[in-house]
Amino acid sequence: MKVDYLRENETGYKVFLYIFYTCSFLMLSITAYGVYAMLQEWSAHGTYVMGEVLVKTEFPFPHFAKLTTWLFFSTIIGWYCCSRIGWKRTVRLYTWKMALLQLMLLGFTVICLYEVLYNFMVLNAQVTAGIKDGNVPDIDALTIAYPDPSRPWNLIFATKMFLAGFLISAHAFYLSTKPRKSIDDINP
């Protein structure tokens, strides 16, 4: 049984392509807004918390999803669409190039998994330590002064972004270890 891969002239390809463009627009817009807000905070106070504005901003209306959730969602969905429409570019990667790519992806996967676990444990510890008389602290305001004490990271932001990095690199590593498509699959 021959597997039929997604082609440019198929409707499914166009759906994945349009969703990829939408996710790219979301990622770029959220990142631009985050950088702008961070620079405003830096110029006003001389310091900033990485990702804090994305964790505290709800979009499109109050009590809905935060910008970190939109960024996480669009990153994962965008990657999946990219892996579906970009399979032809990986067909010619064999031997040492594929071996180096697999080692790099495995390294990214392990590092991102470590960072997810580390950030989640620190978040959990800060929530537990912050509980006083049954009152839970503002989880969105918890930070970690790592790797630079003068530029802390918001823990919710760090956990979500490293989780996205872990899922993407693990999926890419999985795809790189699957049996390779042949060059004959490019031209039907």
Side-chain angles (χ1 to χ4, degrees), residues 26-117:
L26 276 171
M27 287 185 284
L28 287 173
S29 301
I30 293 169
T31 302
Y33 174 73
V35 168
Y36 172 76
M38 186 178 69
L39 290 174
Q40 294 291 14
E41 184 74 19
W42 180 262
S43 65
H45 302 290
T47 185
Y48 63 87
V49 177
M50 178 72 77
E52 182 177 48
V53 70
L54 299 181
V55 172
K56 295 198 176 201
T57 306
E58 297 169 337
F59 184 80
F61 44 82
H63 307 296
F64 197 67
K66 298 177 185 286
L67 287 181
T68 52
T69 304
W70 287 109
L71 185 60
F72 177 79
F73 175 78
S74 63
T75 304
I76 299 299
I77 299 301
W79 164 252
Y80 182 73
C81 291
C82 181
S83 68
R84 289 297 309 243
I85 60 178
W87 67 269
K88 284 185 181 182
R89 298 192 185 267
T90 63
V91 169
R92 291 183 180 88
L93 286 179
Y94 285 105
T95 63
W96 67 273
K97 289 180 185 178
M98 182 54 75
L100 285 177
L101 179 65
Q102 287 174 341
L103 287 172
M104 181 185 73
L105 290 170
L106 182 61
F108 285 156
T109 302
V110 170
I111 289 168
C112 287
L113 177 61
Y114 169 79
E115 288 293 333
V116 167
L117 295 175

Side-chain angles (χ1 to χ4, degrees), residues 101-153:
L101 179 65
Q102 287 174 341
L103 287 172
M104 181 185 73
L105 290 170
L106 182 61
F108 285 156
T109 302
V110 170
I111 289 168
C112 287
L113 177 61
Y114 169 79
E115 288 293 333
V116 167
L117 295 175
Y118 176 78
N119 288 320
F120 189 73
M121 282 190 275
V122 171
L123 177 65
N124 190 20
Q126 285 190 9
V127 168
T128 304
I131 294 176
K132 293 185 177 93
D133 299 325
N135 295 325
V136 179
D138 181 13
I139 295 171
D140 291 340
L142 298 177
T143 63
I144 183 168
Y146 171 82
D148 184 2
S150 63
R151 294 174 192 91
W153 282 55

